[in-house]
């Protein structure tokens, strides 16, 4: 059975795109997205609603293609592709400067407990959580709350990707300011000249769907029952990929709209594998089939959202109820000897 570096090297032949297929998937997705967005402005109301929902799902697929391009998995060194992706990054409020920097950092430090939470959701150990001030706890839990993740359009993309990145380094992330200004100006223009319904169907619903799905996928693929986190000394790349990145099973329709991002453990093992080859790699290696599985079913979504902090003693993520139970048990154990002595 292949392990470690041998397993990574074994996937190397698959880290090769089919250029024609890459262009086909990019252009067809982009054209479908443009048509779906146009339908939200031009067709009768029922078609506008359907087009709005479809636009949100197609933005997710287009984002995965953009994500693969940023990893140099597809269409590398193509000026045309670079131009398309740069414009799409600005459109989706994840400009290339901040997305590539934060996402590359995430891949290099996935599941490390004591590294900066750049490009990922912060993870606190149980001990660290108990030592936090009330304000720090509220802030930590707020970022992981289902409503916050569902509102990824505002919190992850507009505020996180655009405003915070620009505020932290205006010179490096000028495109973040550009993306935010263009998006807000475009929203105002659509609302003023075309009306609130056009703004709702053309901008608000598609972005809310796309950013909400994107935020949840990013959360659940690294915060799921069975996930493993390590301190920096005990961390290694291949184990982080296979033990700390989930395989999210999806039906064929959602697998298409999400660009096979459910094969996230394989993507973390070798980010140069194009999204359309991930199922092929999964089928080729039994080692990659023996991983923790989650899904988009309600019970699995609820199970992921219940996880709050990492407990090193139990070697698993736990929820707030378990944190309280552990604290209560510790307090009782501390008081018991005193009671006996008295």
């Amino acid at each position: 059975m292949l392990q470690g570096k041998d397993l990574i090297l074994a996937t190397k032949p698959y880290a090769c795109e089919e250029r024609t297929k890459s262009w086909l998937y990019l252009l067809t997705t982009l054209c479908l997205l443009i048509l779906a967005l146009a339908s939200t402005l031009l067709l009768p109301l029922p078609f506008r609603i359907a087009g709005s929902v479809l636009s949100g799902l197609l933005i997710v697929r287009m984002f995965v293609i953009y994500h693969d391009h940023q990893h140099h998995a597809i269409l590398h060194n193509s000026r045309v592709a670079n131009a398309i992706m740069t414009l799409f990054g600005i459109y989706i409020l994840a400009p290339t400067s901040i997305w590539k920097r934060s996402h590359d950092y995430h891949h290099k430090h996935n599941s490390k407990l004591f590294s900066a939470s750049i490009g990922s959701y912060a993870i606190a150990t149980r001990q660290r959580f108990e030592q936090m001030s009330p304000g720090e706890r509220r802030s930590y839990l707020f970022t992981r709350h289902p409503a916050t993740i569902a509102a990824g359009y505002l919190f992850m993309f507009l505020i996180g990707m655009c405003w915070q990145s620009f505020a932290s380094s205006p010179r490096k992330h000028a495109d973040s300011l550009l993306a935010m200004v263009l998006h807000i100006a475009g929203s105002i223009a659509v609302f003023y000249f075309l009306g609130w319904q056009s703004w709702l169907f053309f901008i608000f619903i598609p972005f809310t769907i796309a950013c909400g799905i994107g935020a949840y996928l990013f959360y659940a693929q690294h915060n799921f029952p069975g996930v493993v986190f390590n301190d920096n000394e005990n961390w290694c790349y291949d184990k982080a990929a296979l033990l700390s990145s989930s395989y999210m099973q999806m039906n064929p329709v959602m697998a298409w709209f999400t660009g096979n991002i459910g094969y996230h453990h394989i993507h973390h093992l070798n980010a140069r594998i194009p999204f359309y080859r991930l199922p092929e790699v999964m089928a080729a290696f039994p080692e990659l089939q023996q991983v923790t599985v989650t899904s988009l079913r309600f019970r699995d979504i609820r199970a992921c959202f219940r996880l709050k902090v990492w407990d090193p003693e139990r070697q698993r993520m736990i929820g707030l109820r378990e944190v309280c139970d552990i604290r209560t048990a510790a307090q009782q154990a501390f008081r018991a000897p005193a009671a006996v002595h008295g």
Side-chain angles (χ1 to χ4, degrees):
M1 180 173 287
L2 295 171
Q3 293 180 342
K5 187 177 181 179
D6 292 335
L7 181 57
I8 297 173
L9 290 174
T11 66
K12 192 173 180 180
Y14 299 89
C16 180
E17 71 167 331
E18 297 177 42
R19 199 76 163 185
T20 302
K21 187 175 286 187
S22 297
W23 274 114
L24 175 65
Y25 290 151
L26 167 60
L27 295 177
T28 54
T29 303
L30 188 59
C31 288
L32 287 171
L33 175 58
I34 292 171
L35 289 173
L37 287 170
S39 74
T40 67
L41 301 175
L42 303 174
L43 298 181
L45 183 60
F47 295 99
R48 297 177 76 183
I49 296 172
S52 187
V53 174
L54 181 60
S55 295
L57 294 172
L58 286 167
I59 289 173
V60 175
R61 178 173 171 84
M62 188 65 196
F63 190 92
V64 175
I65 295 173
Y66 167 70
H67 154 272
D68 263 29
H69 177 264
Q70 296 300 293
H71 275 299
H72 300 161
I74 61 171
L75 303 173
H76 186 42
N77 291 329
S78 167
R79 291 184 179 181
V80 176
N82 287 343
I84 293 172
M85 298 306 182
T86 298
L87 291 173
F88 179 78
I90 291 172
Y91 168 74
I92 196 54
L93 301 170
T96 54
S97 69
I98 182 59
W99 174 256
K100 183 157 181 61
R101 182 182 72 85
S102 61
H103 197 63
D104 285 352
Y105 184 95
H106 163 66
H107 270 257
K108 293 175 181 177
H109 300 273
N110 172 34
S111 81
K112 284 184 181 178
L113 281 173
F114 305 112
S115 64
S117 57
I118 297 173
S120 61
Y121 286 89
I123 297 291
T125 63
R126 178 175 59 82
Q127 293 87 342
R128 171 71 185 108
F129 182 78
E130 291 174 343
Q131 294 168 359
M132 288 179 180
S133 67
E136 288 173 331
R137 287 186 189 177
R138 285 193 295 269
S139 178
Y140 175 79
L141 294 175
F142 177 80
T143 62
R144 307 174 67 85
H145 195 279
T148 305
I149 293 172
Y153 175 24
L154 173 63
F155 294 111
M156 175 176 275
F157 288 85
L158 265 172
I159 295 177
M161 286 284 178
C162 293
W163 172 247
Q164 289 182 347
S165 64
F166 174 74
S168 67
S169 182
R171 289 185 178 182
K172 286 184 179 179
H173 303 303
D175 56 352
S176 294
L177 177 64
L178 177 64
M180 186 168 54
V181 169
L182 288 177
H183 186 81
I184 294 173
S187 295
I188 294 172
V190 170
F191 195 99
Y192 183 80
F193 291 107
L194 301 178
W196 69 269
Q197 281 193 352
S198 294
W199 172 81
L200 180 71
F201 296 134
F202 184 72
I203 294 176
F204 184 75
I205 292 177
F207 273 85
T208 298
I209 290 173
C211 297
I213 291 175
Y216 176 73
L217 288 175
F218 197 68
Y219 170 85
Q221 287 174 328
H222 300 287
N223 294 265
F224 55 91
V227 66
V228 174
F229 291 91
N230 284 292
D231 56 35
N232 295 9
E233 293 180 357
N234 296 314
W235 183 90
C236 69
Y237 184 87
D238 61 288
K239 287 185 178 179
L242 299 181
L243 300 179
S244 307
S245 308
S246 70
Y247 166 47
M248 185 175 286
Q249 288 182 334
M250 301 183 193
N251 62 54
V253 174
M254 282 308 297
W256 188 87
F257 278 118
T258 59
N260 293 323
I261 201 65
Y263 297 88
H264 209 60
H265 61 302
I266 303 175
H267 169 65
H268 265 271
L269 191 69
N270 190 339
R272 292 295 184 91
I273 299 173
F275 70 95
Y276 49 81
R277 300 201 69 177
L278 293 173
E280 180 185 354
V281 179
M282 181 82 159
F285 295 95
E287 297 88 345
L288 299 178
Q289 300 166 21
Q290 302 171 14
V291 291
T292 305
V293 177
T294 185
S295 75
L296 292 175
R297 290 175 294 192
F298 176 76
R299 66 181 183 183
D300 285 340
I301 293 174
R302 182 176 60 180
C304 290
F305 275 136
R306 283 178 172 173
L307 304 176
K308 301 301 180 184
V309 301
W310 172 254
D311 190 333
E313 295 177 2
R314 289 165 176 76
Q315 283 292 293
R316 61 183 176 87
M317 290 284 285
I318 60 175
L320 289 180
R321 182 177 297 178
E322 287 184 271
V323 173
C324 294
D325 289 345
I326 293 169
R327 185 187 301 127
T328 301
Q331 291 171 346
Q332 290 175 346
F334 179 78
R335 288 195 298 264
V340 172
H341 181 73

